[in-house]
Amino acid sequence: MLSVKLTHQLPGFTLDVDFTAPAGVTALFGRSGAGKSTTVHAIGGLLRPDSAQITLDGRVLTDTAARVHLPPYRRQIATVFQDGRLFPHLSVRQNLSYGRWFAKLQGPDDLPRVARMLDITALLDRGIHGLSGGERQRVALGRALLSGPQLLLMDEPLAALDEARKAEILPYLERLRDAGGVPVLYVSHALDEVARLANTIVILDAGRVVRVGGAADLLSDPDLASYFGQRQAGAILHARVTSHQADGLTELATSAGSVWLPRIAALPGAEVRLRVPAQDVILSRSRPDGLSALNILPATVTRVSGDEGFGVLVQLQVGTDLILARVTQRSAVALDLQPGTACFAIVKSVAVAQADSGIGA
């Protein structure tokens, strides 16, 4: 459990945050300049805040009132930055071993296990030059894990990667999350990454904490759409892979019924989370017939919220999940959408891209 309470003067505003991050992946989310990286630097000991009390599992890392400020090497925190910051003169194996050496760890060497988990065993004897961006970030992640941290800080770790490299590394981050080992504080302003990875979200805006809560709850809250981005707003639908079909589609079971998507890289039985963009959900008061859309889920309207000129955001209960739909004001009136209204949510199979399909709970 990470507890953070700090204030620090920055150009243009004062950073004033107070939150607790439980086990799993906690995403520190906000626009550029919201104070995310400054918060991470304070937690990691790279910054002395004006006023702070930061504890990790009850251990005091910073307490300005008591004049306590542990240096970074005593915090048992590892950080993965955008650029990986690998040693160019060392091999992959030597870069990985450095984390263990720096932390002065004793006992069995976990390097083979970590290398297998990150799929970098074949790279161990290679130099850093010539590795792809995704490979470099996996090596940087492995080095961080091998330092035996009590907390892993990831500061925009995918920001420097193109979409292909992001898609390459995200499954490894999901694997790390689901292993249930090291808790992660994940800093990002990319909603697709947060939706795939986070168990908990801390929303930062202009140096203040707007909300803290479970990822599914916050992403499905229409009142928070302005912080996530009106055009990017979308919620999480939990599902289980049922089968892969010969025509290239994957069938998934949700609490509201079957969903069909272009083939995803998960075995039957695997639990997945799907990010469903609000703008790709169409509503109908009666079950439509003769549509090309395969995903038609019975739903109940739970909330209707104005969308700052973009129309209306409708929160829907589909089975045990909540999703969002964006419709025009005219459509909301014509369909008489209000809490308790029964309807059907139609989602195109191609709308939920493979990049939005994450493995794990």
Short mmCIF file of all heavy atoms in Angstrom, two decimals, residues 288-338:
data_model
loop_
_atom_site.label_atom_id
_atom_site.label_comp_id
_atom_site.label_asym_id
_atom_site.label_seq_id
_atom_site.Cartn_x
_atom_site.Cartn_y
_atom_site.Cartn_z
N PRO A 288 -32.95 -4.75 -32.93
CA PRO A 288 -32.92 -4.54 -34.38
C PRO A 288 -32.80 -5.86 -35.13
O PRO A 288 -32.28 -6.85 -34.63
CB PRO A 288 -31.68 -3.67 -34.57
CG PRO A 288 -30.80 -4.01 -33.41
CD PRO A 288 -31.71 -4.30 -32.26
N ASP A 289 -33.28 -5.83 -36.37
CA ASP A 289 -33.23 -7.02 -37.21
C ASP A 289 -32.63 -6.61 -38.56
O ASP A 289 -32.84 -5.50 -39.05
CB ASP A 289 -34.66 -7.57 -37.42
CG ASP A 289 -34.65 -8.89 -38.16
OD1 ASP A 289 -33.67 -9.65 -38.03
OD2 ASP A 289 -35.63 -9.16 -38.90
N GLY A 290 -31.86 -7.52 -39.16
CA GLY A 290 -31.30 -7.27 -40.48
C GLY A 290 -30.09 -6.35 -40.47
O GLY A 290 -29.79 -5.73 -41.50
N LEU A 291 -29.39 -6.27 -39.34
CA LEU A 291 -28.17 -5.45 -39.27
C LEU A 291 -26.94 -6.30 -39.53
O LEU A 291 -26.92 -7.51 -39.27
CB LEU A 291 -28.04 -4.82 -37.88
CG LEU A 291 -29.00 -3.69 -37.50
CD1 LEU A 291 -28.67 -3.20 -36.11
CD2 LEU A 291 -28.92 -2.55 -38.49
N SER A 292 -25.87 -5.65 -40.01
CA SER A 292 -24.60 -6.37 -40.16
C SER A 292 -23.88 -6.50 -38.82
O SER A 292 -23.00 -7.36 -38.65
CB SER A 292 -23.69 -5.63 -41.16
OG SER A 292 -23.41 -4.32 -40.70
N ALA A 293 -24.22 -5.65 -37.86
CA ALA A 293 -23.58 -5.69 -36.54
C ALA A 293 -23.94 -7.00 -35.83
O ALA A 293 -25.11 -7.42 -35.81
CB ALA A 293 -24.01 -4.50 -35.70
N LEU A 294 -22.93 -7.64 -35.26
CA LEU A 294 -23.13 -8.93 -34.59
C LEU A 294 -23.39 -8.78 -33.09
O LEU A 294 -23.97 -9.67 -32.47
CB LEU A 294 -21.89 -9.81 -34.78
CG LEU A 294 -21.55 -10.20 -36.22
CD1 LEU A 294 -20.23 -10.97 -36.25
CD2 LEU A 294 -22.67 -11.02 -36.84
N ASN A 295 -22.95 -7.68 -32.52
CA ASN A 295 -22.99 -7.52 -31.07
C ASN A 295 -24.18 -6.66 -30.66
O ASN A 295 -24.15 -5.45 -30.75
CB ASN A 295 -21.69 -6.90 -30.57
CG ASN A 295 -20.47 -7.72 -30.97
OD1 ASN A 295 -20.53 -8.95 -30.96
ND2 ASN A 295 -19.39 -7.06 -31.33
N ILE A 296 -25.23 -7.32 -30.22
CA ILE A 296 -26.45 -6.65 -29.79
C ILE A 296 -26.74 -7.11 -28.36
O ILE A 296 -27.08 -8.27 -28.13
CB ILE A 296 -27.64 -6.98 -30.71
CG1 ILE A 296 -27.30 -6.59 -32.16
CG2 ILE A 296 -28.90 -6.27 -30.24
CD1 ILE A 296 -28.35 -7.02 -33.17
N LEU A 297 -26.56 -6.20 -27.40
CA LEU A 297 -26.66 -6.57 -25.99
C LEU A 297 -27.85 -5.87 -25.34
O LEU A 297 -28.02 -4.65 -25.49
CB LEU A 297 -25.38 -6.16 -25.25
CG LEU A 297 -24.07 -6.76 -25.77
CD1 LEU A 297 -22.88 -6.18 -25.02
CD2 LEU A 297 -24.09 -8.28 -25.64
N PRO A 298 -28.67 -6.62 -24.61
CA PRO A 298 -29.76 -5.98 -23.86
C PRO A 298 -29.17 -5.08 -22.78
O PRO A 298 -28.19 -5.43 -22.12
CB PRO A 298 -30.53 -7.16 -23.26
CG PRO A 298 -29.56 -8.29 -23.26
CD PRO A 298 -28.65 -8.08 -24.42
N ALA A 299 -29.77 -3.89 -22.61
CA ALA A 299 -29.22 -2.90 -21.69
C ALA A 299 -30.34 -2.14 -21.00
O ALA A 299 -31.49 -2.12 -21.45
CB ALA A 299 -28.32 -1.93 -22.45
N THR A 300 -29.95 -1.50 -19.90
CA THR A 300 -30.85 -0.61 -19.17
C THR A 300 -30.13 0.70 -18.92
O THR A 300 -28.99 0.71 -18.45
CB THR A 300 -31.29 -1.22 -17.83
OG1 THR A 300 -31.92 -2.48 -18.07
CG2 THR A 300 -32.26 -0.30 -17.10
N VAL A 301 -30.78 1.82 -19.25
CA VAL A 301 -30.18 3.13 -19.01
C VAL A 301 -30.10 3.38 -17.50
O VAL A 301 -31.10 3.20 -16.78
CB VAL A 301 -31.01 4.25 -19.68
CG1 VAL A 301 -30.45 5.62 -19.32
CG2 VAL A 301 -31.04 4.05 -21.19
N THR A 302 -28.94 3.77 -17.03
CA THR A 302 -28.77 4.08 -15.61
C THR A 302 -28.55 5.57 -15.36
O THR A 302 -28.91 6.09 -14.32
CB THR A 302 -27.59 3.29 -15.01
OG1 THR A 302 -26.43 3.47 -15.84
CG2 THR A 302 -27.91 1.81 -14.95
N ARG A 303 -27.93 6.26 -16.34
CA ARG A 303 -27.72 7.71 -16.20
C ARG A 303 -27.68 8.35 -17.59
O ARG A 303 -27.25 7.71 -18.56
CB ARG A 303 -26.39 8.02 -15.48
CG ARG A 303 -26.39 7.73 -14.00
CD ARG A 303 -25.02 7.95 -13.40
NE ARG A 303 -24.58 9.34 -13.52
CZ ARG A 303 -23.36 9.75 -13.23
NH1 ARG A 303 -22.45 8.89 -12.80
NH2 ARG A 303 -23.05 11.02 -13.36
N VAL A 304 -28.11 9.60 -17.66
CA VAL A 304 -28.01 10.38 -18.89
C VAL A 304 -27.36 11.70 -18.51
O VAL A 304 -27.82 12.39 -17.60
CB VAL A 304 -29.39 10.63 -19.52
CG1 VAL A 304 -29.25 11.46 -20.79
CG2 VAL A 304 -30.09 9.31 -19.82
N SER A 305 -26.29 12.04 -19.21
CA SER A 305 -25.52 13.22 -18.84
C SER A 305 -25.22 14.06 -20.07
O SER A 305 -24.88 13.53 -21.14
CB SER A 305 -24.20 12.80 -18.17
OG SER A 305 -23.39 13.91 -17.86
N GLY A 306 -25.33 15.39 -19.94
CA GLY A 306 -24.92 16.29 -21.01
C GLY A 306 -23.45 16.13 -21.31
O GLY A 306 -22.65 15.78 -20.43
N ASP A 307 -23.06 16.40 -22.56
CA ASP A 307 -21.71 16.09 -23.02
C ASP A 307 -20.99 17.31 -23.57
O ASP A 307 -20.21 17.22 -24.50
CB ASP A 307 -21.79 14.99 -24.09
CG ASP A 307 -20.46 14.29 -24.31
OD1 ASP A 307 -19.55 14.49 -23.50
OD2 ASP A 307 -20.36 13.57 -25.31
N GLU A 308 -21.24 18.49 -22.99
CA GLU A 308 -20.53 19.72 -23.32
C GLU A 308 -20.48 19.98 -24.83
O GLU A 308 -19.42 20.16 -25.43
CB GLU A 308 -19.10 19.68 -22.74
CG GLU A 308 -19.06 19.60 -21.22
CD GLU A 308 -17.65 19.65 -20.69
OE1 GLU A 308 -16.72 19.95 -21.46
OE2 GLU A 308 -17.49 19.40 -19.49
N GLY A 309 -21.65 19.96 -25.46
CA GLY A 309 -21.70 20.29 -26.87
C GLY A 309 -21.55 19.10 -27.79
O GLY A 309 -21.78 19.21 -29.00
N PHE A 310 -21.18 17.93 -27.27
CA PHE A 310 -21.00 16.74 -28.10
C PHE A 310 -22.25 15.87 -28.12
O PHE A 310 -22.26 14.81 -28.71
CB PHE A 310 -19.82 15.90 -27.61
CG PHE A 310 -18.49 16.55 -27.83
CD1 PHE A 310 -17.93 17.37 -26.86
CD2 PHE A 310 -17.79 16.36 -29.02
CE1 PHE A 310 -16.70 17.97 -27.07
CE2 PHE A 310 -16.57 16.97 -29.23
CZ PHE A 310 -16.02 17.78 -28.25
N GLY A 311 -23.33 16.32 -27.46
CA GLY A 311 -24.53 15.52 -27.41
C GLY A 311 -24.81 15.05 -26.01
O GLY A 311 -24.75 15.82 -25.05
N VAL A 312 -25.06 13.75 -25.87
CA VAL A 312 -25.43 13.17 -24.59
C VAL A 312 -24.62 11.90 -24.37
O VAL A 312 -24.44 11.10 -25.29
CB VAL A 312 -26.95 12.84 -24.56
CG1 VAL A 312 -27.31 12.03 -23.32
CG2 VAL A 312 -27.77 14.12 -24.60
N LEU A 313 -24.12 11.71 -23.14
CA LEU A 313 -23.50 10.46 -22.76
C LEU A 313 -24.49 9.65 -21.95
O LEU A 313 -25.06 10.16 -20.97
CB LEU A 313 -22.23 10.70 -21.93
CG LEU A 313 -20.93 10.86 -22.70
CD1 LEU A 313 -19.78 11.17 -21.73
CD2 LEU A 313 -20.59 9.60 -23.50
N VAL A 314 -24.71 8.43 -22.36
CA VAL A 314 -25.67 7.55 -21.69
C VAL A 314 -24.91 6.41 -21.04
O VAL A 314 -24.15 5.70 -21.70
CB VAL A 314 -26.70 6.99 -22.70
CG1 VAL A 314 -27.74 6.14 -21.97
CG2 VAL A 314 -27.37 8.12 -23.47
N GLN A 315 -25.11 6.25 -19.74
CA GLN A 315 -24.51 5.12 -19.02
C GLN A 315 -25.51 3.96 -19.05
O GLN A 315 -26.70 4.15 -18.78
CB GLN A 315 -24.19 5.50 -17.58
CG GLN A 315 -23.45 4.42 -16.81
CD GLN A 315 -23.34 4.75 -15.33
OE1 GLN A 315 -24.34 4.83 -14.63
NE2 GLN A 315 -22.12 4.97 -14.86
N LEU A 316 -25.02 2.78 -19.39
CA LEU A 316 -25.87 1.61 -19.58
C LEU A 316 -25.41 0.45 -18.72
O LEU A 316 -24.21 0.17 -18.61
CB LEU A 316 -25.84 1.17 -21.05
CG LEU A 316 -26.25 2.21 -22.09
CD1 LEU A 316 -25.64 1.86 -23.44
CD2 LEU A 316 -27.76 2.31 -22.18
N GLN A 317 -26.37 -0.25 -18.13
CA GLN A 317 -26.08 -1.49 -17.44
C GLN A 317 -26.26 -2.62 -18.45
O GLN A 317 -27.34 -2.82 -19.02
CB GLN A 317 -27.04 -1.71 -16.28
CG GLN A 317 -26.77 -2.96 -15.45
CD GLN A 317 -25.78 -2.72 -14.34
OE1 GLN A 317 -25.86 -1.71 -13.66
NE2 GLN A 317 -24.86 -3.64 -14.13
N VAL A 318 -25.17 -3.35 -18.73
CA VAL A 318 -25.23 -4.51 -19.61
C VAL A 318 -24.75 -5.71 -18.79
O VAL A 318 -23.56 -5.85 -18.51
CB VAL A 318 -24.40 -4.32 -20.89
CG1 VAL A 318 -25.06 -3.33 -21.82
CG2 VAL A 318 -22.99 -3.86 -20.59
N GLY A 319 -25.68 -6.54 -18.38
CA GLY A 319 -25.31 -7.61 -17.47
C GLY A 319 -24.83 -6.99 -16.16
O GLY A 319 -25.51 -6.17 -15.55
N THR A 320 -23.62 -7.36 -15.74
CA THR A 320 -23.05 -6.81 -14.51
C THR A 320 -22.08 -5.66 -14.79
O THR A 320 -21.48 -5.12 -13.85
CB THR A 320 -22.31 -7.90 -13.72
OG1 THR A 320 -21.30 -8.49 -14.55
CG2 THR A 320 -23.27 -9.00 -13.28
N ASP A 321 -21.91 -5.29 -16.06
CA ASP A 321 -20.98 -4.22 -16.43
C ASP A 321 -21.71 -2.94 -16.76
O ASP A 321 -22.91 -2.94 -17.06
CB ASP A 321 -20.14 -4.64 -17.64
CG ASP A 321 -19.12 -5.72 -17.31
OD1 ASP A 321 -18.30 -5.50 -16.41
OD2 ASP A 321 -19.17 -6.79 -17.95
N LEU A 322 -20.96 -1.83 -16.71
CA LEU A 322 -21.46 -0.53 -17.14
C LEU A 322 -20.67 -0.07 -18.35
O LEU A 322 -19.43 -0.15 -18.34
CB LEU A 322 -21.32 0.51 -16.02
CG LEU A 322 -22.20 0.33 -14.78
CD1 LEU A 322 -21.77 1.31 -13.69
CD2 LEU A 322 -23.68 0.53 -15.13
N ILE A 323 -21.36 0.38 -19.41
CA ILE A 323 -20.69 0.94 -20.56
C ILE A 323 -21.31 2.30 -20.87
O ILE A 323 -22.33 2.69 -20.26
CB ILE A 323 -20.75 0.03 -21.80
CG1 ILE A 323 -22.19 -0.16 -22.27
CG2 ILE A 323 -20.08 -1.32 -21.51
CD1 ILE A 323 -22.29 -0.90 -23.61
N LEU A 324 -20.71 3.03 -21.79
CA LEU A 324 -21.21 4.34 -22.19
C LEU A 324 -21.58 4.33 -23.67
O LEU A 324 -20.98 3.62 -24.47
CB LEU A 324 -20.13 5.41 -21.96
CG LEU A 324 -19.68 5.67 -20.53
CD1 LEU A 324 -18.53 6.69 -20.52
CD2 LEU A 324 -20.84 6.17 -19.68
N ALA A 325 -22.55 5.17 -24.00
CA ALA A 325 -22.90 5.42 -25.40
C ALA A 325 -23.03 6.92 -25.59
O ALA A 325 -23.58 7.62 -24.73
CB ALA A 325 -24.22 4.73 -25.77
N ARG A 326 -22.51 7.43 -26.71
CA ARG A 326 -22.68 8.84 -27.04
C ARG A 326 -23.71 8.96 -28.15
O ARG A 326 -23.56 8.35 -29.22
CB ARG A 326 -21.35 9.47 -27.48
CG ARG A 326 -21.52 10.91 -27.94
CD ARG A 326 -20.22 11.57 -28.29
NE ARG A 326 -19.46 11.88 -27.09
CZ ARG A 326 -18.30 11.29 -26.77
NH1 ARG A 326 -17.80 10.36 -27.56
NH2 ARG A 326 -17.67 11.60 -25.68
N VAL A 327 -24.76 9.72 -27.89
CA VAL A 327 -25.80 9.95 -28.88
C VAL A 327 -26.08 11.45 -28.95
O VAL A 327 -25.69 12.22 -28.08
CB VAL A 327 -27.11 9.19 -28.53
CG1 VAL A 327 -26.86 7.69 -28.46
CG2 VAL A 327 -27.70 9.70 -27.21
N THR A 328 -26.77 11.87 -29.98
CA THR A 328 -27.13 13.28 -30.11
C THR A 328 -28.28 13.60 -29.15
O THR A 328 -29.02 12.70 -28.71
CB THR A 328 -27.56 13.61 -31.54
OG1 THR A 328 -28.75 12.87 -31.85
CG2 THR A 328 -26.46 13.29 -32.54
N GLN A 329 -28.43 14.87 -28.85
CA GLN A 329 -29.54 15.30 -28.02
C GLN A 329 -30.87 14.92 -28.66
O GLN A 329 -31.81 14.48 -27.98
CB GLN A 329 -29.46 16.82 -27.83
CG GLN A 329 -30.45 17.37 -26.83
CD GLN A 329 -30.08 17.03 -25.40
OE1 GLN A 329 -30.82 16.32 -24.73
NE2 GLN A 329 -28.95 17.54 -24.95
N ARG A 330 -30.95 15.05 -29.98
CA ARG A 330 -32.18 14.70 -30.69
C ARG A 330 -32.52 13.23 -30.52
O ARG A 330 -33.67 12.86 -30.29
CB ARG A 330 -32.05 15.05 -32.17
CG ARG A 330 -33.28 14.71 -32.99
CD ARG A 330 -33.14 15.15 -34.44
NE ARG A 330 -33.03 16.60 -34.54
CZ ARG A 330 -33.01 17.25 -35.69
NH1 ARG A 330 -33.09 16.58 -36.84
NH2 ARG A 330 -32.90 18.57 -35.72
N SER A 331 -31.50 12.36 -30.63
CA SER A 331 -31.75 10.92 -30.47
C SER A 331 -32.18 10.59 -29.05
O SER A 331 -33.04 9.73 -28.83
CB SER A 331 -30.49 10.13 -30.84
OG SER A 331 -30.18 10.26 -32.21
N ALA A 332 -31.57 11.26 -28.07
CA ALA A 332 -31.93 11.00 -26.68
C ALA A 332 -33.40 11.33 -26.43
O ALA A 332 -34.10 10.61 -25.71
CB ALA A 332 -31.03 11.82 -25.75
N VAL A 333 -33.86 12.43 -27.03
CA VAL A 333 -35.27 12.82 -26.86
C VAL A 333 -36.17 11.85 -27.62
O VAL A 333 -37.21 11.40 -27.11
CB VAL A 333 -35.48 14.26 -27.35
CG1 VAL A 333 -36.96 14.61 -27.37
CG2 VAL A 333 -34.71 15.23 -26.45
N ALA A 334 -35.81 11.52 -28.87
CA ALA A 334 -36.64 10.64 -29.68
C ALA A 334 -36.79 9.25 -29.05
O ALA A 334 -37.86 8.64 -29.13
CB ALA A 334 -36.04 10.51 -31.08
N LEU A 335 -35.71 8.76 -28.41
CA LEU A 335 -35.76 7.44 -27.79
C LEU A 335 -36.28 7.50 -26.36
O LEU A 335 -36.46 6.46 -25.72
CB LEU A 335 -34.37 6.81 -27.79
CG LEU A 335 -33.76 6.47 -29.17
CD1 LEU A 335 -32.32 5.98 -29.01
CD2 LEU A 335 -34.60 5.42 -29.87
N ASP A 336 -36.51 8.73 -25.87
CA ASP A 336 -36.98 8.94 -24.49
C ASP A 336 -36.05 8.22 -23.50
O ASP A 336 -36.49 7.45 -22.65
CB ASP A 336 -38.42 8.44 -24.32
CG ASP A 336 -39.03 8.87 -22.99
OD1 ASP A 336 -38.55 9.87 -22.40
OD2 ASP A 336 -39.96 8.18 -22.51
N LEU A 337 -34.75 8.50 -23.65
CA LEU A 337 -33.76 7.85 -22.80
C LEU A 337 -33.73 8.50 -21.42
O LEU A 337 -33.50 9.70 -21.29
CB LEU A 337 -32.37 7.94 -23.44
CG LEU A 337 -32.21 7.26 -24.80
CD1 LEU A 337 -30.81 7.49 -25.35
CD2 LEU A 337 -32.51 5.76 -24.70
N GLN A 338 -33.96 7.70 -20.42
CA GLN A 338 -33.92 8.15 -19.03
C GLN A 338 -33.63 6.95 -18.15
O GLN A 338 -33.77 5.80 -18.60
CB GLN A 338 -35.25 8.82 -18.64
CG GLN A 338 -36.47 7.97 -18.91
CD GLN A 338 -37.75 8.75 -18.68
OE1 GLN A 338 -37.97 9.28 -17.61
NE2 GLN A 338 -38.59 8.82 -19.71
#
